Amino acid sequence: MQMPTVNECQVEACAYNTEHACHALAITVGNSSHAECETFFKVSSKGGDPAATGRVGACKMANCQHNVQYECQASGIVVGYAQQDIDCLTYAPA
């Protein structure tokens, strides 16, 4: 199984975001209330591997149609703002 790629990240303030691309090796999606990108954090410098494209390492959203045993099966995802939250915008209730 291949981890899905983060095709786009619209959250420029994230430490792993450079030019709408995620450079975290793997992100975690989901908490108890919504499909939040739990890897997001804000600092003044950028991090991650500039040669890597971020991937979904774990998804806690068991009620998503792309989730099989807490692994995302989407071909790729988009991370962005859902109102004030930074969420997986590919999340789709099962």
Side-chain angles (χ1 to χ4, degrees):
M1 174 184 350
Q2 291 227 353
M3 293 188 299
T5 59
V6 179
N7 292 333
E8 178 184 6
C9 179
Q10 302 168 356
V11 186
E12 293 179 13
C14 182
Y16 292 110
N17 183 323
T18 303
E19 297 179 10
H20 295 276
C22 177
H23 296 288
L25 294 179
I27 69 167
T28 298
V29 172
N31 67 24
S32 61
S33 62
H34 59 93
E36 176 181 70
C37 176
E38 290 199 334
T39 309
F40 165 79
F41 74 103
K42 186 176 178 179
V43 293
S44 60
S45 61
K46 294 295 181 176
D49 181 350
T53 299
R55 296 195 176 262
V56 181
C59 180
K60 300 178 195 176
M61 300 303 295
N63 66 340
C64 179
Q65 68 182 6
H66 302 293
N67 190 313
V68 175
Q69 297 177 321
Y70 302 104
E71 300 291 342
C72 181
Q73 302 297 304
S75 59
I77 71 163
V78 174
V79 174
Y81 291 97
Q83 297 178 11
Q84 300 292 329
D85 299 317
I86 298 163
D87 284 3
C88 172
L89 300 180
T90 308
Y91 166 78

